[in-house]
Structures are given as C-alpha cells and as structure tokens.
C-alpha cells in the first residue's frame, strides 16, 4: 500500500470540499417534464460535422436542426461510453491504495459524479427521442481491451483528453441562448463538475509522468495516440446521417474531409494538445495518430513542428 504524498492529499482535500458544495443531482435539478422548444437547435450549428459543406446546404433549416439533435445524442451516448471506461481506470487506480486517504476518497467521489452524468446523458438522449448511438462495433470491441492497456498515465491522459474536448464544446453550448434549454442545462452541470476531474487528472498525470522511465513513456505515448484517435473519430455515429435522410457512408466521408469540422475538433482539443505536448506526450509513432485524427495545428502538416 502506498502512502499518499502531502500535495496530492491537499489537492484531493480541496476537491472534496468543492464537491460537497457544488454537486448536482440531474434527476431533480433538471425539469425533465419541460417540452423541447420548437425550432431551436440542440447544439451550435457551426459545430455540426457537416457545417459548411454542400450536403449542409442541401439539408435546409429543419433538417439541419434535426441533425444537431442526433449529433448531440450521439456525442452524449459516446460520453456514457467514455465515462464507463474512466470509471474502470479509476477503480484500477485505487484498488490497492489506502481508502482513508483523501486521494482515494476523491476518486470515489468522481466515480459518483460520473454515474450521475451517465444517467443524465441517457435521459437527455431519451428526451430527444433519439437512439443511444454509442460507439460503433469496432470501437466498442477495442474499448474492452483499451482498459487493459490504458494503465495509469495513458488512462489519466486519455481521460483528460476527453474531458477537455467536451469541456470546450459544452462551455460554448451552455452560454448559447439560441439552443434548447435542456442542452444548455446538461452542459452546465457537466462543465461545473468536470472542472474538478480535470484538475485531479492533470495533477496525477504530471506526478506519474515525471516519475516514469523512457520505456514507460514510449508505451504510454503510443497507447494514448490510439485512444485519442478512437475517441475523436467516434463522436458522431453514421446513423445520425441516416436519421436525417442522408446516405450515411457518403455523409461520413464528407464529414471526415470537412475542413470546418476538423477546425472544430482542433479548436476543442487545442488546450489539451498544448498541455500534453508540453509534457512531451505527443511524440514518436503515437503522434501520427493525433495527426490523422486532425488534432495537430496546420503547421504540423508542413513539417515545422515545435512539439517534436
Ligand atoms: Fe462526466
Ligand atoms: Fe469526468
């Protein structure tokens, strides 16, 4: 059993105090009976995977709003998948540690937050009248083994990645008064509680990364690249395109090449790319996967890259 270092304990103690003050029960906090508002998008339209393409022009106003409804449901259902994986990473992290430490108690508190978030996302999907798209079959299968290879460093870095991209998207959504109130409320609760998770993951990651040797670092860089690629390319399930009457295979291809959508992903990941890049985690063969996921700045494609 390891003894928790004092700084780790101080952070956890602070996070536990904030959790006691600012935790939400989405079941009572959100008015689930309120009807959806006619004509309002479910996410900012300029964040849609098809925004700015010829297909987007073809869709017309009503089907564009429908697309934001299904895309938001898809991201939320993938969010539930991420949260399931994160809970497993956290459980493994604390399995052998002393439960009287604040560090372990905060991890348990975070697991509690995530279970409430998953119920919240599930209810929102239901309220939207959408299926729980989730990740595709390949990702679901890889997800099973990803928990086995995402150990400690890459587990926390992967969690940080997902938490930061959702944070960017949801901060924008919660402030946008033109959106469905339900989208905004769910975003707000998630943003407030995830801020603590981000702090916890960041500190734990930095601590473990500093202590890691070159072999472990190379391993985690590669595994992280795979996890990041998988997470980024699975946010929007092709079924959302079929739901608005588009050919899912064609629309998926268009979305994958859509410069506006790539910009959205790069924007959402901007902060975490800078942070992990600074730590030296985006290097080596794993870096290619970051690039393929469209997450590195344009300058990188021309070979002048400050992170290498
Ligand atoms: Fe969450
Ligand atoms: Fe979280």
């Amino acid at each position: 059993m390891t003894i928790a270092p004092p700084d780790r304990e101080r952070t956890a103690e602070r996070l536990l105090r904030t959790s006691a003050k600012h935790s939400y029960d989405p079941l009572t906090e959100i008015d689930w009976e309120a009807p959806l508002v006619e004509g309002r998008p479910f996410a900012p339209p300029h964040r849609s995977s098809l925004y700015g393409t010829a297909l987007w022009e073809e869709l017309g106003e009503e089907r564009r709003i429908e697309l934001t409804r299904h895309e938001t449901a898809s991201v939320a259902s993938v969010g539930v998948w991420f949260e399931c994986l994160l809970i497993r990473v956290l459980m493994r992290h604390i399995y052998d540690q002393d439960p009287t430490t604040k560090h372990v108690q905060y991890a348990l508190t975070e697991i509690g937050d995530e279970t409430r978030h998953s119920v919240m996302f599930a209810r929102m999907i239901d309220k939207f009248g959408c299926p729980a798209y989730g990740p595709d079959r390949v990702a679901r299968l890889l997800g099973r083994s990803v928990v086995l290879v995402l150990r400690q460093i890459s587990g926390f870095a992967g969690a940080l990645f997902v938490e930061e991209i959702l944070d960017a998207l949801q901060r924008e959504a919660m402030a946008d008064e033109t959106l469905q109130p339900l989208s905004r409320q769910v975003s707000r609760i998630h943003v407030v509680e995830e801020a603590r998770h981000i702090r916890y993951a960041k500190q734990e990651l930095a601590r473990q990364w500093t202590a890691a040797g070159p072999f472990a670092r190379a391993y985690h860089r590669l595994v992280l690249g795979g996890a990041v690629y998988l997470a980024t390319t699975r946010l929007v399930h092709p079924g959302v395109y079929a739901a608005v009457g588009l050919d899912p295979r064609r629309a998926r291809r268009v979305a994958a090449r859509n410069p506006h959508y790539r910009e959205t992903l790069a924007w959402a990941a901007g902060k975490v790319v800078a942070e992990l890049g600074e730590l030296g985690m985006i290097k080596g063969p794993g870096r290619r996967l970051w690039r393929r996921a469209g997450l590195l700045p344009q300058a990188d494609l021309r070979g002048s890259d400050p992170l290498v």
Side-chain angles (χ1 to χ4, degrees):
M1 197 173 280
T2 50
I3 298 195
D7 63 326
R8 197 156 93 147
E9 282 299 89
R10 267 199 301 275
T11 303
E13 208 171 341
R14 254 202 317 272
L15 293 174
L16 279 168
R17 260 203 311 272
T18 329
S19 305
K21 269 194 241 157
H22 305 289
S23 288
Y24 303 96
D25 179 359
L27 294 186
T28 52
E29 203 73 35
I30 291 175
D31 179 7
W32 295 101
E33 299 307 316
L36 297 173
V37 183
E38 187 89 18
R40 287 216 196 163
F42 294 73
H46 66 283
R47 298 297 175 204
S48 168
S49 62
L50 294 181
Y51 178 81
T53 63
L55 273 185
W56 180 258
E57 294 308 317
E58 269 173 41
L59 279 177
E61 190 62 17
E62 215 170 288
R63 285 205 292 161
R64 285 181 198 156
I65 291 178
E66 272 308 286
L67 181 59
T68 65
R69 179 204 294 257
H70 287 272
E71 283 183 334
T72 306
S74 172
V75 173
S77 65
V78 172
V80 175
W81 178 57
F82 288 148
E83 288 179 338
C84 283
L85 295 176
L86 171 65
I87 287 170
R88 293 181 65 184
V89 166
L90 286 172
M91 281 295 191
R92 282 174 63 123
H93 174 60
I94 61 170
Y95 187 78
D96 286 321
Q97 296 192 55
D98 180 352
T100 64
T101 61
K102 301 288 185 238
H103 183 73
V104 170
Q105 287 169 22
Y106 181 73
L108 289 166
T109 306
E110 180 167 327
I111 290 167
D113 290 351
E114 299 298 19
T115 58
R116 291 196 310 279
H117 295 167
S118 288
V119 174
M120 172 171 78
F121 289 148
R123 285 197 71 154
M124 182 181 78
I125 295 164
D126 202 29
K127 181 80 188 176
F128 284 0
C130 294
Y133 289 103
D136 57 31
R137 233 160 27 109
V138 177
R140 215 180 275 276
L141 212 76
L142 285 170
R144 277 188 221 282
S145 42
V146 122
V147 193
L148 303 175
V149 290
L150 273 179
R151 310 182 73 95
Q152 301 283 15
I153 291 177
S154 38
F156 280 104
L160 193 61
F161 174 78
V162 170
E163 283 168 347
E164 295 256 37
I165 55 169
L166 287 182
D167 184 71
L169 292 166
Q170 291 178 329
R171 264 178 206 277
E172 187 181 51
M174 75 184 207
D176 189 339
E177 290 174 6
T178 64
L179 300 186
Q180 291 287 341
L182 182 57
S183 297
R184 298 183 63 204
Q185 287 168 330
V186 165
S187 295
R188 189 182 59 85
I189 290 180
H190 204 239
V191 163
V192 170
E193 299 197 333
E194 289 296 324
R196 302 192 287 265
H197 303 182
I198 289 173
R199 216 168 321 147
Y200 186 76
K202 249 189 221 172
Q203 199 194 48
E204 192 52 28
L205 175 65
R207 198 185 62 80
Q208 292 185 14
W209 184 251
T210 314
F215 179 76
R217 286 185 174 202
Y219 170 83
H220 287 293
R221 281 188 194 112
L222 184 59
V223 171
L224 176 65
V228 159
Y229 180 79
L230 198 63
T232 313
T233 53
R234 262 58 188 185
L235 284 174
V236 177
H237 191 283
V240 308
Y241 304 123
V244 296
L246 296 172
D247 171 7
R249 293 174 87 181
R250 180 175 165 228
R252 187 187 211 175
R253 261 199 316 274
V254 170
R257 293 193 194 123
N258 179 9
H260 292 280
Y261 186 51
R262 289 181 86 89
E263 237 170 71
T264 282
L265 292 175
W267 161 80
K271 204 165 143 204
V272 72
V273 164
E275 287 161 356
L276 296 177
E278 211 170 291
L279 278 181
M281 290 200 77
I282 312 179
K283 281 183 177 176
R287 182 175 178 81
R288 241 177 272 152
L289 294 158
W290 284 82
R291 188 178 297 144
R292 284 208 57 186
L295 297 170
L296 298 183
Q298 280 302 306
D300 179 57
L301 299 175
R302 294 193 294 271
S304 56
D305 186 358
L307 298 173
V308 176

